[in-house]
Amino acid sequence: MIDLSESSLEVAPQLLGAVFRHDSPAGAVAVRITEVEAYIGQGLDPGSHAFRGKTARNEVMYGEPGHLYTYFTYGMHVCANIVCSPPGEATAVLLRAGEVVEGIELARERRTTAKKDSELARGPALLVRALGIAMIDNGAALDREPFSLEFPPARSAGIATSLRTGVSGPGGRDPFRWRFFLEGDPTVSPYKRHPKA
């Protein structure tokens, strides 16, 4: 059992192999998590939404662990995070990629541009789209319907790390090698360095 009240740096690698499920009105889709990124709190992590303090956008990060933190990126895509740490510490794990293990037909309907099944949830916005998560799900608890998180029986083997992908400024450089992924898994998204990192 993963303790979500620990820091995202502790939680992130343990989430690899976990199954995240969303039961929407259209049906259920579940994804085995294969790639994540850790973000820590206020004043500590220049890549984190909480770096400069609490706002209306990041308020959920400061709340109870085990809730979903969703946000818009580029004004059009939704991304999803799992809130970690005790209230007030504002750490979270970004769900970056996964393998669809349930509801693959529905995921294909939602992701019509995917050329193969390994691309259905390959990238944070694409994972959210495959699962049918929306901004309205911000703050939802992961231990009750319509969401569930089934933890892997043991820590996944073959975990690799890298710099966080697409993060600008110091947060995209060393020492923030806080992207964790299952090495060699075809659903993991390619690393992309931000031009301003």
Side-chain angles (χ1 to χ4, degrees), residues 162-185:
S162 81
L163 299 175
R164 296 183 295 205
T165 186
V167 177
S168 64
R173 307 174 196 152
D174 280 325
F176 301 101
R177 299 184 64 85
W178 295 347
R179 174 178 174 248
F180 303 88
F181 57 96
L182 297 180
E183 192 167 22
D185 193 291

Side-chain angles (χ1 to χ4, degrees), residues 104 108 111 113-122 186:
I104 197 159
R108 288 170 181 158
R111 288 277 296 111
T113 58
K115 296 178 180 177
K116 47 191 175 181
D117 289 346
S118 61
E119 298 176 355
L120 290 171
R122 193 178 187 215

Side-chain angles (χ1 to χ4, degrees), residues 66-117:
H67 287 71
L68 203 61
Y69 165 50
T70 59
Y71 65 90
F72 270 124
T73 182
Y74 301 112
M76 58 189 293
H77 301 298
V78 178
C79 293
N81 301 255
I82 294 175
V83 176
C84 307
S85 298
E89 292 189 15
T91 83
V93 177
L94 173 66
L95 303 178
R96 282 203 53 87
E99 174 195 9
V100 178
V101 293
E102 180 185 352
I104 197 159
E105 293 297 334
L106 179 55
R108 288 170 181 158
E109 290 176 15
R110 290 171 172 164
R111 288 277 296 111
T112 56
T113 58
K115 296 178 180 177
K116 47 191 175 181
D117 289 346

